[in-house]
Amino acid sequence: MTTRVNISINARRYEYEVEDRTLLVHFIREQARLTGTHIGCDSSNCGACTVLLDGQAVKSCTLLAVQADGQNVSTVEGLTGSFNGLSPIQEGFRQEHGLQCGYCTPGMLMACTALLAENAQPSESEIRHALEGNICRCTGYEMIVRSVQWAAAKQVQQ
Amino acid sequence: MIPAPFTYLRVGSVQEALDALAEYGDDAKLLAGGHSLIPLMKYRLATPKVLIDISGIAELSGVTFEGDSLVIGAATRHAIVEHSPVVKEHCRLLAYTASLVGDPQVRNRGTIGGSVAHGDSASDLPVSLLAMDAQFTAQGRNGTRTIAAADFFVGFWQTALTPNEVLINIKVPLAKQRWSYQKFTIRSQDWATVSSAVYGNAVALGAMADIPIRARDVESALLQGADISQAALLADHNTSPSSDTRASSDYRRHLARVLTEDGLREALARN
């Protein structure tokens, strides 16, 4: 069975007829052609596919596109939208070397964006708790935590 | 991994959900947060022909009072339970347990009713709800019935819900009791390798049998005046933990004793 699904991604509407079993991550990557969102473990463990659904961090490999019908999705491609260049969290990852291979980075950035929207000055333990759903195999997380702290400090300055 | 083909139905009321269940029978599964069901469908361990999405049913979401109980709608998401000021004030154990389910992304989608209806002994909420003697309300075509937590979990991934029933809400007592929830995991986001919930004089264990169970020997030892370290040594009595990639059966027995002792001490410190 197929359903006509209309999802706003980064404030642009994408309307496609898709199979009901289409996962949101496949809608984003294959219908909307936004391939910044990665598929890592494909089993809701690693968080590489994290996007914001109506502002909340979710794992898009564990949602059906039909479940997101009529809702707003934000992906990594939308992060720079309201900034000249990189958003504070993206700049933080650059300044503090929050990535090596980069595979987990889109999901990390979206989970960090959700965290900072909810809690502008998170403690180190709050950062680590908020990133429990995102796995990085390169950095040991130390630099990612510092990247979030960099972005939080930057937001205070602005 | 992509689920086998199915038809997706979104329903707006419990009655519509019951009608759809009656129409499609064993071919249908209810979908709320989908964080147990969709992974099973991706692994093709579940291949329902029809998915009935109940997440938009307003009457199934939210937290209310009824007599001396707190009533949590079955489709209330973990993040709501975790952060609800009402739940935090009146049932700390429930709010705290919800805060340890999966990870933030999982808690933004998963629901309390979905977690208990899935009936996994290594899930967090069933263990605490069993310790609290929670009551589960199920609605079928002939009305509603209440199922006690002790009768709700019947076997591996099996509950007392019939295929034609919808879980409506979960009722927990408002009584303020000393509490603790101890969870051991390999990775922070995991299901419990073993967990132990303390609520008043009740102790419940997760992942120590096919279903969450009460540590009755610990409870009676405490009632008879045993000290905490002696009573906790009985935590693995009448359990049947499995050996798997996370832990051996013997290690789970060890964890049950240690976590129960830690939990009893933490609960006492809160008294």
Side-chain angles (χ1 to χ4, degrees):
Chain A
M1 175 110 167
T2 63
T3 300
R4 194 146 196 92
V5 171
N6 186 329
I7 301 172
S8 164
I9 306 177
N10 305 328
R12 188 179 151 192
R13 284 158 62 103
Y14 295 87
E15 187 171 344
Y16 294 98
E17 182 91 16
V18 297
E19 274 194 88
D20 288 356
R21 61 176 170 161
T22 305
L23 299 167
L24 178 59
V25 70
H26 291 137
F27 186 94
I28 292 168
R29 289 177 54 88
E30 290 159 26
Q31 261 76 38
R33 301 287 175 127
L34 295 168
T35 53
T37 301
H38 291 170
I39 300 173
C41 68
D42 204 7
S43 56
S44 57
N45 285 287
C46 80
C49 66
T50 299
V51 300
L52 306 188
L53 182 65
D54 286 343
Q56 289 191 314
V58 300
K59 292 180 175 175
S60 60
C61 78
T62 308
L63 254 78
L64 303 168
V66 284
Q67 288 178 287
D69 186 24
Q71 292 180 265
N72 298 304
V73 170
S74 308
T75 69
V76 70
E77 289 90 345
L79 281 186
T80 54
S82 55
F83 297 91
N84 294 320
L86 302 177
S87 73
I89 189 65
Q90 288 174 307
E91 186 63 33
F93 270 65
R94 188 165 82 163
Q95 295 295 333
E96 296 293 340
H97 309 283
L99 63 144
Q100 288 181 31
C101 86
Y103 201 88
C104 72
T105 310
M108 283 286 178
L109 289 171
M110 299 318 288
C112 294
T113 299
L115 165 66
L116 290 174
E118 205 173 274
N119 180 357
Q121 290 301 311
S123 66
E124 180 179 340
S125 77
E126 286 170 334
I127 294 169
R128 290 182 181 274
H129 189 58
L131 295 179
E132 281 175 358
N134 294 75
I135 293 173
C136 171
R137 291 298 187 221
C138 303
T139 67
Y141 305 98
E142 293 296 329
M143 281 101 88
I144 292 175
V145 170
R146 271 184 244 144
S147 303
V148 180
Q149 289 168 330
W150 190 97
K154 187 76 177 172
Q155 284 177 333
V156 169
Q157 287 170 21
Q158 281 172 350
Chain B
M1 299 179 290
I2 299 169
F6 58 83
T7 297
Y8 171 88
L9 279 183
R10 191 179 292 184
V11 294
S13 68
V14 173
Q15 192 54 52
E16 278 177 44
L18 291 171
D19 291 344
L21 282 176
E23 184 175 349
Y24 299 106
D26 284 348
D27 286 339
K29 284 291 280 182
L30 297 176
L31 173 72
H35 272 50
S36 299
L37 180 58
I38 291 178
L40 287 181
M41 291 172 63
K42 290 173 71 175
Y43 287 123
R44 308 277 173 120
L45 292 170
T47 52
K49 301 281 190 297
V50 180
L51 273 193
I52 304 166
D53 187 348
I54 58 170
S55 64
I57 301 177
E59 63 199 279
L60 291 185
S61 280
V63 181
T64 52
F65 292 100
E66 188 183 296
D68 53 3
S69 295
L70 201 56
V71 183
I72 322 290
T76 309
R77 299 194 194 277
H78 301 310
I80 302 287
V81 176
E82 171 189 0
H83 296 297
S84 158
V86 173
V87 179
K88 278 178 164 172
E89 182 185 343
H90 294 282
C91 194
R92 277 298 304 171
L93 173 58
L94 182 61
Y96 179 73
T97 306
S99 80
L100 295 188
V101 176
D103 54 53
Q105 292 96 317
V106 170
R107 295 192 291 276
N108 281 338
R109 295 298 299 175
T111 66
I112 184 170
S115 174
V116 300
H118 182 53
D120 188 333
S121 164
S123 292
D124 300 292
L125 289 161
V127 181
S128 289
L129 292 168
L130 180 63
M132 284 186 273
D133 281 322
Q135 305 268 311
F136 301 81
T137 310
Q139 187 171 336
R141 298 198 103 191
N142 301 319
T144 63
R145 68 183 175 119
T146 301
I147 307 164
D151 303 322
F152 187 81
F153 303 101
V154 299
F156 181 72
W157 287 1
Q158 286 184 313
T159 70
L161 292 169
T162 70
N164 293 321
E165 284 180 318
V166 178
L167 181 64
I168 302 299
N169 62 43
I170 292 114
K171 293 178 186 167
V172 297
L174 282 174
K176 289 228 191 320
Q177 299 279 8
R178 61 200 180 113
W179 64 275
S180 175
Y181 182 69
Q182 302 288 325
K183 176 183 186 180
F184 184 89
T185 55
I186 307 287
R187 303 171 305 172
S188 56
Q189 62 179 203
D190 275 335
W191 281 271
T193 306
V194 172
S195 65
S196 176
V198 175
Y199 185 76
N201 293 317
V203 178
L205 300 169
M208 289 299 289
D210 283 351
I211 56 174
I213 51 171
R214 289 279 284 269
R216 296 287 181 196
D217 286 1
V218 177
E219 295 175 3
S220 19
L222 288 170
L223 284 176
Q224 286 159 22
D227 69 31
I228 283 176
S229 47
Q230 287 174 325
L233 288 176
L234 308 174
D236 65 321
H237 277 200
N238 300 314
T239 62
S240 49
S242 60
S243 289
D244 56 31
T245 51
R246 286 203 179 95
S248 68
S249 167
D250 281 348
Y251 185 49
R252 283 200 163 89
R253 288 177 182 278
H254 168 75
L255 283 174
R257 296 189 290 262
V258 171
L259 296 177
T260 297
E261 176 164 354
D262 289 352
L264 289 169
R265 290 199 191 287
E266 184 179 75
L268 191 65
R270 286 201 173 100
N271 211 357

